[in-house]
Amino acid sequence: MTTTDADTNGTTAAAAACHTDGPKTALGTGPDAVTAHDLGIHGYAQQKDAHLKRLRRIEGQIRGLQRMLEEDVYCIDILTQVSASTKGLQSFGLQLLEEHLRHCVADAAVKGPEAIDEKVKEATKAIERMLRT
């Protein structure tokens, strides 16, 4: 499985490798360094409430689209709402990516060159997926 292939639970191998409960033997730097990341603290943890609020707002926009169709609203008005919803999701995705870079990639920097390479590759693939949308 590559770092971006989903397993049967819908998680990725990278996420599993990123948040394992393996042995933690040292503090500081190097491959055995223990960081908040190792303890399962995600990069978005501090902004979780704000992210949920934002996603609920986007969810409301999608429901608005459904109502617009049910009410036979003019197609250009619906397309305007589609654009706003899409922009909201893209903005959310970029924020999450930034938090990933600050948290997971920074964590890898403490662990050494191999970990950095893995996280940079993972982030690059995530950016590629985002650009395809």
Side-chain angles (χ1 to χ4, degrees):
M1 177 172 3
T2 65
T3 58
T4 57
D5 292 337
D7 68 14
T8 56
N9 296 324
T11 60
T12 63
C18 192
H19 301 284
T20 60
D21 289 327
K24 291 150 184 85
T25 58
L27 294 174
T29 61
D32 294 329
V34 176
T35 63
H37 187 267
D38 294 323
L39 301 175
I41 300 171
H42 297 286
Y44 58 81
Q46 291 182 335
Q47 299 295 323
K48 188 174 181 178
D49 290 339
H51 288 324
L52 288 169
K53 182 178 178 181
R54 189 175 203 176
L55 287 171
R56 287 183 186 109
R57 187 172 33 243
I58 295 166
E59 180 183 24
Q61 290 176 310
I62 302 302
R63 286 194 181 127
L65 282 166
Q66 294 169 344
R67 277 191 305 278
M68 292 172 87
L69 280 176
E70 289 168 352
E71 297 169 4
D72 296 319
V73 172
Y74 185 56
C75 25
I76 295 301
D77 294 336
I78 295 172
L79 288 170
T80 300
Q81 184 68 18
V82 167
S83 178
S85 301
T86 301
K87 186 72 172 174
L89 277 173
Q90 288 172 337
S91 178
F92 171 74
L94 286 172
Q95 180 66 40
L96 205 58
L97 179 62
E98 180 181 351
E99 290 167 358
H100 174 71
L101 292 172
R102 288 184 188 279
H103 184 76
C104 297
V105 176
D107 175 77
V110 171
K111 304 230 168 150
E114 289 180 16
I116 293 170
D117 289 345
E118 179 183 333
K119 290 299 173 188
V120 168
K121 183 188 282 187
E122 177 186 67
T124 300
K125 289 183 184 217
I127 293 167
E128 288 173 353
R129 285 191 305 274
M130 289 181 70
L131 289 175
R132 280 188 235 134
T133 60

